[in-house]
Amino acid sequence: YAKHSGKNTFKFFSVALNKESEQKQKIARQLRKAIARNEFTLYFQPVVNVTTGAIKGAEALLRWNSFKLGNIEPSVFIPIAEEIGIITSIGEWVLFEVCKQNKRWQDLGYTTITVSVNISAKELSLRGFAKLVERTLAVTNLEAKYLGLELTETAIKKDPELSIQQLEYLSGLGVVIALDDFGKGYSSMSYLRKLQLSRIKIDRSFIQHIPHNREDTIVTNAIVTLANNLGLKITAEGIETKEQYEFIRTTLTDSAQGFYFSRAVSAEEFALLLQKGVLPPSH
Ligand code: C2E
Ligand code: MG
Ligand code: MG
Ligand code: MG
Protein backbone atom coordinates (compact mmCIF):
# COMPACT_ATOMS: atom_id res chain seq x y z
CA TYR A 1 0.00 0.00 0.00
CA ALA A 2 2.78 2.38 0.95
CA LYS A 3 4.58 1.68 -2.29
CA HIS A 4 1.41 2.29 -4.24
CA SER A 5 0.65 5.63 -2.66
CA GLY A 6 4.29 6.60 -3.07
CA LYS A 7 4.05 6.00 -6.76
CA ASN A 8 0.89 8.08 -7.00
CA THR A 9 2.51 10.87 -5.10
CA PHE A 10 5.44 10.79 -7.48
CA LYS A 11 3.12 10.84 -10.49
CA PHE A 12 1.21 13.76 -9.00
CA PHE A 13 4.38 15.75 -8.45
CA SER A 14 5.81 15.07 -11.88
CA VAL A 15 2.56 16.17 -13.54
CA ALA A 16 2.57 19.30 -11.41
CA LEU A 17 6.21 19.97 -12.29
CA ASN A 18 5.56 19.50 -16.00
CA LYS A 19 2.63 21.88 -15.80
CA GLU A 20 4.82 24.39 -14.00
CA SER A 21 7.63 24.21 -16.52
CA GLU A 22 5.14 24.40 -19.40
CA GLN A 23 3.72 27.58 -17.90
CA LYS A 24 7.24 28.89 -17.38
CA GLN A 25 8.17 28.22 -20.99
CA LYS A 26 5.03 29.96 -22.14
CA ILE A 27 5.96 33.00 -20.08
CA ALA A 28 9.58 32.86 -21.27
CA ARG A 29 8.49 32.82 -24.92
CA GLN A 30 6.32 35.91 -24.49
CA LEU A 31 8.88 37.64 -22.30
CA ARG A 32 11.43 37.57 -25.11
CA LYS A 33 9.07 39.61 -27.29
CA ALA A 34 7.85 41.96 -24.57
CA ILE A 35 10.25 44.87 -25.15
CA ALA A 36 9.80 44.89 -28.92
CA ARG A 37 6.04 44.74 -28.49
CA ASN A 38 6.09 47.58 -26.03
CA GLU A 39 4.35 45.54 -23.35
CA PHE A 40 6.24 46.94 -20.37
CA THR A 41 5.16 49.96 -18.36
CA LEU A 42 6.79 51.56 -15.38
CA TYR A 43 4.75 52.40 -12.33
CA PHE A 44 5.98 54.63 -9.55
CA GLN A 45 5.37 54.17 -5.85
CA PRO A 46 5.85 57.41 -3.91
CA VAL A 47 8.42 57.51 -1.13
CA VAL A 48 7.48 60.05 1.51
CA ASN A 49 9.18 61.98 4.25
CA VAL A 50 7.96 60.36 7.45
CA THR A 51 7.58 63.64 9.33
CA THR A 52 5.92 65.78 6.70
CA GLY A 53 4.38 63.37 4.20
CA ALA A 54 6.18 65.26 1.43
CA ILE A 55 6.99 63.16 -1.63
CA LYS A 56 10.76 62.70 -1.83
CA GLY A 57 10.82 60.38 -4.76
CA ALA A 58 9.58 57.09 -6.02
CA GLU A 59 10.49 53.48 -6.60
CA ALA A 60 10.02 52.42 -10.21
CA LEU A 61 8.20 49.09 -10.44
CA LEU A 62 7.90 47.21 -13.68
CA ARG A 63 4.49 46.15 -14.99
CA TRP A 64 3.98 43.67 -17.80
CA ASN A 65 0.78 43.45 -19.75
CA SER A 66 1.37 40.56 -22.11
CA PHE A 67 -0.54 40.56 -25.37
CA LYS A 68 -0.95 36.79 -25.02
CA LEU A 69 -1.01 36.18 -21.27
CA GLY A 70 -2.45 39.34 -19.73
CA ASN A 71 -1.00 40.96 -16.62
CA ILE A 72 1.83 39.05 -15.00
CA GLU A 73 3.40 40.00 -11.68
CA PRO A 74 7.08 40.93 -11.38
CA SER A 75 7.53 38.24 -8.72
CA VAL A 76 6.63 35.76 -11.46
CA PHE A 77 8.36 37.16 -14.55
CA ILE A 78 11.52 38.71 -13.06
CA PRO A 79 12.94 35.35 -11.88
CA ILE A 80 12.18 33.86 -15.31
CA ALA A 81 13.81 36.82 -17.05
CA GLU A 82 16.87 36.23 -14.86
CA GLU A 83 16.91 32.55 -15.65
CA ILE A 84 16.71 32.96 -19.42
CA GLY A 85 19.25 35.77 -19.42
CA ILE A 86 17.13 38.65 -20.65
CA ILE A 87 16.97 40.57 -17.38
CA THR A 88 19.92 42.67 -18.53
CA SER A 89 18.10 44.00 -21.58
CA ILE A 90 14.96 44.55 -19.51
CA GLY A 91 17.05 46.29 -16.87
CA GLU A 92 18.66 48.50 -19.48
CA TRP A 93 15.22 49.50 -20.72
CA VAL A 94 14.01 50.24 -17.17
CA LEU A 95 17.08 52.33 -16.37
CA PHE A 96 16.77 54.42 -19.50
CA GLU A 97 13.03 54.98 -19.11
CA VAL A 98 13.38 55.95 -15.46
CA CYS A 99 16.14 58.47 -16.13
CA LYS A 100 14.24 59.94 -19.07
CA GLN A 101 11.04 60.19 -17.02
CA ASN A 102 12.73 61.71 -13.99
CA LYS A 103 14.46 64.27 -16.23
CA ARG A 104 11.01 65.34 -17.43
CA TRP A 105 9.85 65.78 -13.83
CA GLN A 106 13.01 67.72 -13.01
CA ASP A 107 12.34 69.97 -16.00
CA LEU A 108 8.81 70.58 -14.74
CA GLY A 109 10.34 71.96 -11.56
CA TYR A 110 10.19 68.94 -9.26
CA THR A 111 13.87 69.22 -8.68
CA THR A 112 14.34 67.05 -5.64
CA ILE A 113 12.82 63.80 -6.79
CA THR A 114 14.98 60.71 -6.60
CA VAL A 115 13.64 57.72 -8.52
CA SER A 116 14.98 54.27 -7.71
CA VAL A 117 15.42 51.28 -9.94
CA ASN A 118 15.59 47.66 -8.77
CA ILE A 119 18.74 45.94 -9.92
CA SER A 120 19.03 42.20 -10.25
CA ALA A 121 22.06 40.01 -9.55
CA LYS A 122 22.77 39.40 -13.22
CA GLU A 123 23.06 43.13 -13.89
CA LEU A 124 25.32 43.97 -10.99
CA SER A 125 27.69 41.11 -11.76
CA LEU A 126 28.04 42.27 -15.34
CA ARG A 127 31.30 44.05 -16.00
CA GLY A 128 30.35 47.37 -17.53
CA PHE A 129 27.19 47.83 -15.50
CA ALA A 130 28.53 50.95 -13.78
CA LYS A 131 29.55 52.42 -17.13
CA LEU A 132 26.11 51.65 -18.54
CA VAL A 133 24.52 53.62 -15.71
CA GLU A 134 26.95 56.49 -16.24
CA ARG A 135 26.22 56.55 -19.97
CA THR A 136 22.45 56.44 -19.36
CA LEU A 137 22.69 59.43 -17.02
CA ALA A 138 24.73 61.32 -19.62
CA VAL A 139 22.38 60.51 -22.50
CA THR A 140 19.28 61.48 -20.53
CA ASN A 141 21.00 64.46 -18.96
CA LEU A 142 19.90 63.49 -15.45
CA GLU A 143 22.04 64.39 -12.44
CA ALA A 144 23.34 61.27 -10.71
CA LYS A 145 21.89 62.20 -7.32
CA TYR A 146 18.37 61.84 -8.70
CA LEU A 147 18.90 58.20 -9.55
CA GLY A 148 18.64 55.50 -6.91
CA LEU A 149 19.65 51.87 -7.26
CA GLU A 150 18.08 49.20 -5.05
CA LEU A 151 19.87 45.94 -4.65
CA THR A 152 19.45 42.95 -2.44
CA GLU A 153 22.25 41.03 -0.80
CA THR A 154 21.55 38.15 -3.19
CA ALA A 155 22.53 40.50 -6.00
CA ILE A 156 25.81 41.34 -4.28
CA LYS A 157 26.63 37.74 -3.36
CA LYS A 158 26.85 36.66 -6.97
CA ASP A 159 30.15 38.48 -7.45
CA PRO A 160 30.90 40.49 -4.29
CA GLU A 161 34.22 41.92 -5.44
CA LEU A 162 32.94 43.24 -8.76
CA SER A 163 29.68 44.41 -7.17
CA ILE A 164 31.47 46.39 -4.48
CA GLN A 165 33.80 47.90 -7.06
CA GLN A 166 30.94 48.99 -9.32
CA LEU A 167 28.90 50.34 -6.41
CA GLU A 168 31.87 52.38 -5.24
CA TYR A 169 32.18 53.88 -8.69
CA LEU A 170 28.48 54.67 -8.89
CA SER A 171 28.26 56.14 -5.42
CA GLY A 172 31.28 58.26 -6.39
CA LEU A 173 29.21 59.68 -9.23
CA GLY A 174 26.48 60.56 -6.72
CA VAL A 175 24.04 57.74 -7.42
CA VAL A 176 22.03 56.82 -4.32
CA ILE A 177 22.60 53.19 -3.36
CA ALA A 178 20.08 51.38 -1.17
CA LEU A 179 20.08 47.87 0.25
CA ASP A 180 16.59 46.50 -0.42
CA ASP A 181 14.57 44.04 1.66
CA PHE A 182 16.92 44.46 4.57
CA GLY A 183 16.65 41.79 7.24
CA LYS A 184 15.16 39.17 4.95
CA GLY A 185 18.45 37.35 4.42
CA TYR A 186 21.07 36.10 6.81
CA SER A 187 24.35 37.88 6.26
CA SER A 188 23.31 41.47 5.64
CA MET A 189 25.37 42.73 8.53
CA SER A 190 28.71 42.29 6.78
CA TYR A 191 27.52 44.13 3.68
CA LEU A 192 26.44 47.12 5.71
CA ARG A 193 30.09 47.95 6.23
CA LYS A 194 31.51 46.83 2.90
CA LEU A 195 29.16 48.66 0.57
CA GLN A 196 28.97 52.33 -0.29
CA LEU A 197 25.38 52.50 0.92
CA SER A 198 23.29 55.61 1.47
CA ARG A 199 20.24 53.85 2.72
CA ILE A 200 18.65 50.60 3.79
CA LYS A 201 15.07 49.60 3.17
CA ILE A 202 13.55 47.59 6.00
CA ASP A 203 11.74 44.61 4.59
CA ARG A 204 7.99 44.63 4.63
CA SER A 205 7.89 41.36 6.58
CA PHE A 206 9.08 43.20 9.72
CA ILE A 207 6.64 46.06 9.33
CA GLN A 208 3.70 43.74 8.70
CA HIS A 209 3.13 42.70 12.33
CA ILE A 210 4.10 45.94 14.00
CA PRO A 211 3.28 47.02 16.68
CA HIS A 212 1.38 43.92 17.85
CA ASN A 213 4.26 41.50 17.44
CA ARG A 214 6.76 42.28 20.18
CA GLU A 215 9.71 40.49 18.53
CA ASP A 216 9.27 42.25 15.18
CA THR A 217 9.00 45.57 16.97
CA ILE A 218 12.21 44.90 18.88
CA VAL A 219 14.05 43.76 15.75
CA THR A 220 12.88 46.79 13.78
CA ASN A 221 14.00 49.13 16.55
CA ALA A 222 17.38 47.39 16.59
CA ILE A 223 17.77 47.70 12.81
CA VAL A 224 16.94 51.40 13.00
CA THR A 225 19.49 51.96 15.77
CA LEU A 226 22.16 50.01 13.92
CA ALA A 227 21.58 51.89 10.66
CA ASN A 228 21.59 55.25 12.42
CA ASN A 229 24.85 54.47 14.15
CA LEU A 230 26.37 53.51 10.81
CA GLY A 231 25.18 56.79 9.32
CA LEU A 232 22.71 55.14 7.00
CA LYS A 233 19.29 56.51 6.17
CA ILE A 234 16.27 54.26 6.46
CA THR A 235 13.16 53.68 4.40
CA ALA A 236 10.42 51.56 5.88
CA GLU A 237 8.69 49.44 3.25
CA GLY A 238 5.12 48.22 3.20
CA ILE A 239 3.41 50.68 5.53
CA GLU A 240 -0.26 49.76 5.31
CA THR A 241 -1.89 51.02 8.48
CA LYS A 242 -2.06 54.13 10.61
CA GLU A 243 -0.60 52.17 13.51
CA GLN A 244 2.45 51.16 11.48
CA TYR A 245 2.86 54.75 10.36
CA GLU A 246 2.64 56.04 13.94
CA PHE A 247 5.24 53.48 14.99
CA ILE A 248 7.81 54.44 12.37
CA ARG A 249 7.19 58.13 13.02
CA THR A 250 8.51 57.59 16.52
CA THR A 251 11.65 55.81 15.30
CA LEU A 252 14.46 57.54 13.46
CA THR A 253 13.28 56.29 10.10
CA ASP A 254 13.35 59.17 7.61
CA SER A 255 11.21 57.90 4.79
CA ALA A 256 8.54 55.36 4.07
CA GLN A 257 6.47 53.81 1.35
CA GLY A 258 3.45 51.58 1.34
CA PHE A 259 -0.20 51.29 0.46
CA TYR A 260 -1.06 53.58 3.40
CA PHE A 261 0.37 56.45 1.33
CA SER A 262 -0.05 55.19 -2.18
CA ARG A 263 0.29 52.14 -4.37
CA ALA A 264 2.53 52.31 -7.41
CA VAL A 265 0.83 54.55 -9.98
CA SER A 266 1.38 55.46 -13.62
CA ALA A 267 3.74 58.30 -14.56
CA GLU A 268 0.74 60.55 -15.28
CA GLU A 269 -0.81 59.85 -11.89
CA PHE A 270 2.53 60.34 -10.17
CA ALA A 271 2.85 63.78 -11.79
CA LEU A 272 -0.53 64.68 -10.27
CA LEU A 273 0.67 63.53 -6.86
CA LEU A 274 3.78 65.68 -7.31
CA GLN A 275 1.54 68.68 -7.92
CA LYS A 276 -0.04 68.15 -4.52
CA GLY A 277 3.40 67.51 -3.03
CA VAL A 278 2.21 65.89 0.17
CA LEU A 279 0.53 62.53 0.53
CA PRO A 280 -2.25 62.35 3.02
CA PRO A 281 -2.83 58.89 4.43
CA SER A 282 -5.34 56.88 2.46
CA HIS A 283 -7.43 55.87 5.49
P1 C2E B 1 10.67 45.33 -4.09
O1 C2E B 1 11.77 46.04 -4.79
O2 C2E B 1 10.88 45.02 -2.65
O3 C2E B 1 9.38 46.25 -4.30
C1 C2E B 1 8.37 46.43 -3.36
C2 C2E B 1 7.17 45.57 -3.66
O4 C2E B 1 6.26 45.67 -2.57
C3 C2E B 1 6.38 46.01 -4.90
O5 C2E B 1 5.79 44.85 -5.47
C4 C2E B 1 5.30 46.91 -4.28
O6 C2E B 1 4.16 47.06 -5.08
C5 C2E B 1 5.01 46.15 -3.02
N1 C2E B 1 4.46 47.01 -1.98
C6 C2E B 1 4.71 48.32 -1.75
N2 C2E B 1 4.03 48.78 -0.68
C7 C2E B 1 3.33 47.73 -0.21
C8 C2E B 1 2.41 47.57 0.91
O7 C2E B 1 2.13 48.48 1.66
N3 C2E B 1 1.88 46.32 1.07
C9 C2E B 1 2.17 45.27 0.24
N4 C2E B 1 1.57 44.11 0.47
N5 C2E B 1 3.03 45.40 -0.81
C10 C2E B 1 3.59 46.61 -1.02
P2 C2E B 1 5.92 44.52 -7.04
O8 C2E B 1 5.75 45.75 -7.86
O9 C2E B 1 5.00 43.38 -7.31
O10 C2E B 1 7.41 44.05 -7.19
C11 C2E B 1 7.89 42.88 -6.60
C12 C2E B 1 9.38 42.75 -6.74
O11 C2E B 1 9.73 42.58 -8.11
C13 C2E B 1 10.15 43.97 -6.27
O12 C2E B 1 10.31 43.95 -4.87
C14 C2E B 1 11.45 43.80 -7.02
O13 C2E B 1 12.30 42.91 -6.35
C15 C2E B 1 10.99 43.17 -8.32
N6 C2E B 1 10.93 44.21 -9.38
C16 C2E B 1 9.93 45.07 -9.69
N7 C2E B 1 10.29 45.87 -10.72
C17 C2E B 1 11.55 45.50 -11.08
C18 C2E B 1 12.50 45.95 -12.09
O14 C2E B 1 12.27 46.90 -12.85
N8 C2E B 1 13.69 45.29 -12.14
C19 C2E B 1 14.01 44.26 -11.28
N9 C2E B 1 15.21 43.67 -11.40
N10 C2E B 1 13.17 43.83 -10.34
C20 C2E B 1 11.95 44.44 -10.23
MG1 MG C 1 12.86 47.66 -4.34
MG1 MG D 1 11.89 45.94 -1.16
MG1 MG E 1 10.70 42.81 -1.96
Side-chain angles (χ1 to χ4, degrees):
Y1 174 75
K3 200 178 167 194
H4 184 78
S5 91
K7 225 179 191 169
N8 278 343
T9 309
F10 174 74
K11 209 166 158 191
F12 171 77
F13 276 124
S14 72
V15 169
L17 279 176
N18 277 336
K19 273 243 171 74
E20 196 188 296
S21 72
E22 248 174 56
Q23 178 65 8
K24 226 163 113 177
Q25 274 164 29
K26 222 191 250 174
I27 292 174
R29 231 179 354 256
Q30 297 309 313
L31 207 46
R32 289 181 200 282
K33 303 175 192 160
I35 292 184
R37 284 182 173 165
N38 220 353
E39 293 175 346
F40 287 127
T41 318
L42 284 169
Y43 266 49
F44 300 88
Q45 185 176 39
V47 176
V48 304
N49 176 313
V50 163
T51 324
T52 62
I55 299 172
K56 304 175 55 178
E59 174 176 8
L61 294 161
L62 193 54
R63 297 292 177 256
W64 180 29
N65 183 234
S66 162
F67 165 74
K68 275 263 172 67
L69 307 169
N71 284 321
I72 306 214
E73 300 239 329
S75 58
V76 173
F77 73 79
I78 297 281
I80 298 175
E82 285 174 344
E83 205 177 305
I84 65 174
I86 60 166
I87 190 67
T88 45
S89 31
I90 294 176
E92 222 172 291
W93 182 86
V94 170
L95 189 65
F96 181 71
E97 292 298 318
V98 163
C99 291
K100 208 167 63 178
Q101 181 60 68
N102 194 4
K103 176 63 180 160
R104 279 190 216 120
W105 288 326
Q106 302 285 330
D107 288 345
L108 285 172
Y110 304 111
T111 51
T112 56
I113 299 300
T114 297
V115 183
S116 300
V117 171
N118 289 289
I119 300 300
S120 91
K122 282 261 168 63
E123 295 174 82
L124 194 59
S125 59
L126 207 72
R127 206 165 285 282
F129 173 72
K131 288 284 178 193
L132 169 75
V133 174
E134 189 176 29
R135 237 182 301 130
T136 308
L137 287 167
V139 167
T140 56
N141 208 10
L142 182 74
E143 261 185 82
K145 63 179 174 185
Y146 301 125
L147 175 67
L149 298 180
E150 296 189 7
L151 28 113
T152 60
E153 56 179 270
T154 326
I156 298 150
K157 269 188 198 144
K158 191 150 191 286
D159 187 342
E161 209 177 308
L162 181 61
S163 301
I164 291 170
Q165 202 184 311
Q166 305 215 66
L167 292 175
E168 267 171 14
Y169 184 80
L170 289 167
S171 114
L173 296 179
V175 174
V176 182
I177 314 286
L179 191 59
D180 204 357
D181 302 345
F182 185 79
K184 220 173 159 186
Y186 296 101
S187 62
S188 320
M189 297 299 165
S190 65
Y191 288 120
L192 282 185
R193 289 181 295 109
K194 284 186 198 142
L195 300 173
Q196 294 288 313
L197 294 174
S198 313
R199 173 177 296 282
I200 62 165
K201 299 186 77 171
I202 302 180
D203 193 62
R204 180 158 61 84
S205 57
F206 291 104
I207 307 293
Q208 223 164 17
H209 307 291
I210 276 173
H212 304 292
N213 184 305
R214 191 166 160 267
E215 282 76 25
D216 284 357
T217 307
I218 291 170
V219 171
T220 303
N221 273 321
I223 292 175
V224 169
T225 305
L226 175 72
N228 275 310
N229 288 338
L230 288 168
L232 298 169
K233 292 193 174 123
I234 307 159
T235 304
E237 289 193 290
I239 303 295
E240 291 183 354
T241 68
K242 188 175 170 57
E243 272 182 320
Q244 290 164 350
Y245 179 48
E246 292 306 334
F247 173 81
I248 58 142
R249 255 156 94 91
T250 64
T251 67
L252 287 168
T253 302
D254 77 295
S255 57
Q257 61 186 101
F259 296 169
Y260 182 65
F261 306 104
S262 170
R263 290 182 180 251
V265 295
S266 69
E268 293 73 27
E269 287 170 280
F270 187 72
L272 294 176
L273 295 178
L274 283 176
Q275 264 176 35
K276 294 193 194 122
V278 175
L279 268 179
S282 60
H283 33 112

